[in-house]
Amino acid sequence: MSPTRRPVLALLLLLLPMLATAATHAPKPRVIDIDPATLPLETIDRIVVDHDGDTVPDRKGERVRVHGTVLVGSGVLRLRGIQIYIQDATGGLGLFNPRDPHMTFAAGDIVEAWGEVSQFKGGIQLQDVQVRRIGHGALPAPLPLTVEQADGWEHVGRRVRIEGIAGPLTLDQWAMLRITGEDGVPMQLYVPAPVVDRFDWKRYPRGTRIAATGVLSIYKPTWPFDGGFQVVLADSTDIAVLEPPPPEWHRWFPWALGAALGVVALAGLMLHVMQRRQRARDRELSTLSALSGALADTAVGEAQLARNACEILTAYGIVEAASVHVFDDARRLHHIADAATDPRLHDAMSSPEAGDDGTDGLRARLAASGVHVLALSPMPGATNAVGVLAGLSPRRRRPSQRQERTLLSAAKLLAMAVENQRIRERAHREAQELQKLVITDELTRLYNRRFLDEYLRVQLPLAERRGGGLTFVALDVDHFKRINDTYGHDAGDRVLAGIAAQLRQVSRSADLPVRLGGEEFLVVTAEHDIDGALAFAERLREAIAAQAFDDIVPGESLRVTVSIGVALFGLHGCDATTLMRASDEAMYASKRGGRDRVSLSTALAAIAP
């Protein structure tokens, strides 16, 4: 052995006892699938023992291994996983594992099981159980007990046989049949849901003496588990009729006949009620469908929408009369539409309106007109109620649930239609008002300064989000005062109109040419870089310089030039005022530099730290 390996080996020999001690005291994880050979085989009575009498097994939480015969096989207590009862010579208990769907067991199978002792609703069981079949045999003979003997812990988990008189039956997805023994003690017979359909419950009317064979169990939701004993049945053969009820038909026949007739009458009445409700429901759905179609019409005003809703509610028989009232700005209700099948109601609703102070005033006015208000359904708006839909009647009565439900739905649909109509009208008005603001300059037919302000209010935030794409190109006509003084203001106007025509021709659809006033113009263009902006400005300058005004001076071709200044969003400013100033300063720099030229602004925008 090399000298370097000896210290390492010695260190490992010193650490081995420490590692063994740590492994011994480390918390052991819960093991479900273990080798059953590591557990001793025990009888069931040693597992369910309860020395202190607190109804909880002393060995709860321990893992054990048992043998037993299956009393209630798979698929009875639950459809998936394992939940069965087994019994050996000393007692019985349940086996439970919801996560093991692979094996099924039949009554009579002899199995070996190992798992953790637990308790569910009082019943003792092995949870997380592992089970394997080791044989098959006959079921243990049932232990005959009186009901009083079965009502206790002594025989829980065993196969027993009890006798009693059949009493009330609770039949749901499972069944509970109550029997009473000769000692007067009651006991429940429990039939699980998967097998409940196998039983012919007509064979066990009240008073029938029966014998029941099954597993004695317990179902008690809370501790201590000192009651709730029951017998679990797995098959229809587990109930045997010992004696039918006493033959007293001759005395009970008239009552039975009367009961049968009553049942038939009740069934007929229920059928009539169900059909009537179905017809009412169909009428309600038809009403709402008609309302949805009528209120989707965008070509009518809110008064016509309200009238359509009232006419549909009365035509479909929801109410005898309906009216719609909307709030004004002072939150006073005003009548806008109504409909009625009774002319008297129509006349009362059409009486002159003095103005309603809210819903109380509306109720008072309608009551004074002899109209009873069934319901006032609010028409909800975005912030406040738009108005109310009134369901009316000629007589005082309470509205049905169908009427209230339909009126409330109709009010919501009408409110949405009215709100949409108002939004469309408001948008139309705003569009008209905006159109008045967005007027063109009378002389040049270019947009004016007011529209420029509205345009920049939208475009500047967009340019800020895009990080650019907006350029101000300012133009001023060179020596324009000389043109006015020499040729007159009419000639100057024609020059301005000609320049405006060139601006429209050179500008693209995304550009905005504007006349700021006098001989000053501005083009807001969607240019991102300096080269593109200067190239666009140069095209403007060349187009204007190349234009000849032949009709201003007879026999003379007048030409004009412009001085142009360019400022870019982000480079020279980020707001309208700064960009306008920067482009103006650049334009004046062009004038100082000899006119008829393009200059880029030198005023850089301040960069935020």
Side-chain angles (χ1 to χ4, degrees):
M1 181 180 299
S2 65
T4 57
R5 292 183 180 178
R6 289 175 182 175
V8 174
L9 181 60
L11 179 62
L12 289 175
L13 291 175
L14 290 174
L15 290 176
L16 281 177
M18 299 174 61
L19 294 175
T21 304
T24 303
H25 293 86
K28 297 181 179 179
R30 181 179 178 181
V31 179
I32 295 177
D33 190 6
I34 64 174
D35 184 1
T38 63
L39 299 173
L41 182 65
E42 302 184 67
T43 57
I44 292 178
D45 61 339
R46 295 186 57 190
I47 295 171
V48 301
V49 66
D50 178 21
H51 290 299
D52 54 8
D54 64 350
T55 72
V56 177
D58 298 343
R59 300 184 63 182
K60 185 175 181 180
E62 296 184 20
R63 300 196 63 79
V64 298
R65 179 168 66 104
V66 296
H67 281 177
T69 301
V70 176
L71 304 179
V72 177
S74 302
V76 175
L77 294 170
R78 63 186 292 120
L79 295 176
R80 297 180 180 178
I82 296 174
Q83 187 172 6
I84 60 178
Y85 283 107
I86 66 170
Q87 176 182 326
D88 65 4
T90 64
L93 79 166
L95 307 180
F96 178 70
N97 188 338
R99 297 178 295 276
D100 190 354
H102 304 297
M103 295 190 66
T104 59
F105 302 93
D109 284 348
I110 301 173
V111 298
E112 179 183 18
W114 55 97
E116 180 182 315
V117 180
S118 67
Q119 197 169 24
F120 179 74
K121 304 295 186 182
I124 302 173
Q125 62 181 15
L126 299 187
Q127 71 174 3
D128 298 327
V129 70
Q130 304 291 312
V131 187
R132 65 183 177 192
R133 186 185 297 105
I134 60 176
H136 189 83
L139 288 174
L143 180 67
L145 299 175
T146 65
V147 176
E148 184 177 17
Q149 291 172 333
D151 191 25
W153 283 96
E154 183 179 358
H155 306 290
V156 168
R158 291 178 177 270
R159 189 166 183 252
V160 300
R161 183 179 185 275
I162 59 175
E163 297 181 5
I165 305 299
L169 170 67
T170 301
L171 189 60
D172 205 334
Q173 68 269 22
W174 36 259
M176 295 286 283
L177 177 62
R178 182 176 180 179
I179 66 172
T180 304
E182 293 181 355
D183 43 24
V185 177
M187 174 69 70
Q188 296 283 1
L189 304 181
Y190 170 65
V191 179
V195 297
V196 72
D197 292 336
R198 302 178 188 175
F199 290 78
D200 184 5
W201 299 106
K202 297 179 181 178
R203 297 183 57 214
Y204 322 116
R206 290 195 181 197
T208 304
R209 184 176 180 79
I210 62 173
T213 302
V215 179
L216 183 61
S217 179
I218 183 173
Y219 188 87
K220 181 67 179 295
T222 57
W223 187 87
F225 308 111
D226 53 0
F229 296 97
Q230 59 188 14
V231 176
V232 179
L233 307 183
D235 193 83
S236 59
T237 58
D238 290 344
I239 300 180
V241 177
L242 302 179
E243 184 180 340
E248 299 181 355
W249 62 269
H250 56 283
R251 190 177 69 179
W252 294 104
F253 179 75
W255 295 97
L257 179 61
L261 293 175
V263 169
V264 172
L266 180 60
L269 178 61
M270 291 179 62
L271 180 62
H272 172 72
V273 171
M274 291 174 61
Q275 290 177 341
R276 183 176 178 181
R277 287 183 177 178
Q278 186 60 44
R279 288 194 297 269
R281 182 60 178 165
D282 292 342
R283 185 163 62 251
E284 178 183 351
L285 294 176
S286 299
T287 303
L288 295 179
S289 177
L291 283 169
S292 298
L295 298 179
D297 188 359
T298 60
V300 299
E302 63 181 61
Q304 185 60 49
L305 291 172
R307 190 175 301 108
N308 292 342
C310 293
E311 290 176 351
I312 289 173
L313 290 171
T314 55
Y316 280 79
I318 303 301
V319 289
E320 291 97 334
S323 62
V324 176
H325 308 259
V326 296
F327 286 107
D328 59 14
D329 294 339
R331 305 302 294 168
R332 293 166 64 90
L333 284 171
H334 295 274
H335 170 275
I336 62 170
D338 59 64
T341 56
D342 190 332
R344 294 173 299 173
L345 289 174
H346 188 274
D347 295 340
M349 291 188 299
S350 302
S351 61
E353 181 180 354
D356 302 318
D357 293 328
T359 55
D360 293 338
L362 175 61
R363 285 182 182 274
R365 185 179 66 81
L366 291 173
S369 302
V371 178
H372 176 63
V373 178
L374 284 175
L376 286 179
S377 301
M379 297 162 53
T383 54
N384 296 313
V386 177
V388 292
L389 172 62
L392 308 173
S393 173
R395 62 187 185 279
R396 182 176 296 276
R397 61 184 178 89
R398 292 181 60 85
S400 66
Q401 291 183 352
R402 175 181 60 87
Q403 287 175 314
E404 289 183 331
R405 187 170 56 246
T406 307
L407 287 171
L408 184 59
S409 299
K412 292 180 180 179
L413 289 173
L414 180 57
M416 286 190 293
V418 170
E419 284 274 78
N420 291 338
Q421 181 66 25
R422 290 181 176 180
I423 290 173
R424 285 191 293 270
E425 291 178 354
R426 185 163 56 249
H428 181 66
R429 289 195 302 269
E430 290 177 355
Q432 288 180 332
E433 293 174 0
L434 183 60
Q435 185 62 31
K436 293 178 182 178
L437 296 176
V438 185
I439 58 175
T440 57
D441 178 68
E442 183 177 359
L443 173 63
T444 62
R445 294 185 292 117
L446 296 179
Y447 289 109
N448 63 10
R449 179 62 181 267
R450 178 176 293 176
F451 177 73
L452 174 64
D453 293 339
E454 291 296 323
Y455 178 79
L456 293 178
R457 186 175 60 84
V458 176
Q459 292 299 322
L460 285 173
L462 293 177
E464 185 174 1
R465 288 197 291 270
R466 292 193 304 261
L470 205 64
T471 299
F472 281 39
V473 179
L475 301 89
D476 188 88
V477 182
D478 296 332
H479 304 297
F480 183 73
K481 184 176 184 302
R482 184 185 304 171
I483 295 174
N484 280 336
D485 295 341
T486 305
Y487 304 108
H489 288 280
D490 182 62
D493 290 343
R494 279 182 281 175
V495 168
L496 294 177
I499 292 175
Q502 290 298 326
L503 292 180
R504 282 193 297 272
Q505 183 175 354
V506 176
S507 298
R508 297 152 299 189
S509 59
D511 302 331
L512 180 73
V514 179
R515 183 189 180 192
L516 297 178
E519 69 273 22
E520 295 182 8
F521 297 88
L522 177 72
V523 180
V524 181
T525 180
E527 290 293 343
H528 289 267
D529 54 31
I530 296 175
D531 292 340
L534 293 177
F536 173 80
E538 190 63 27
R539 288 197 300 273
L540 286 179
R541 187 195 66 77
E542 291 175 354
I544 295 171
Q547 183 178 9
F549 297 91
D550 297 328
D551 58 343
I552 293 180
V553 181
E556 183 179 348
S557 179
L558 177 63
R559 296 179 184 272
V560 296
T561 61
V562 292
S563 297
I564 301 178
V566 178
L568 277 73
F569 178 91
L571 179 62
H572 302 113
C574 295
D575 60 87
T577 302
T578 305
L579 288 169
M580 291 279 288
R581 184 187 309 113
S583 60
D584 279 344
E585 290 173 357
M587 181 262 293
Y588 284 115
S590 294
K591 286 186 177 294
R592 290 191 299 271
R595 295 182 174 84
D596 189 21
R597 65 186 60 215
V598 175
S599 297
L600 179 67
S601 174
T602 59
L604 298 181
I607 300 176

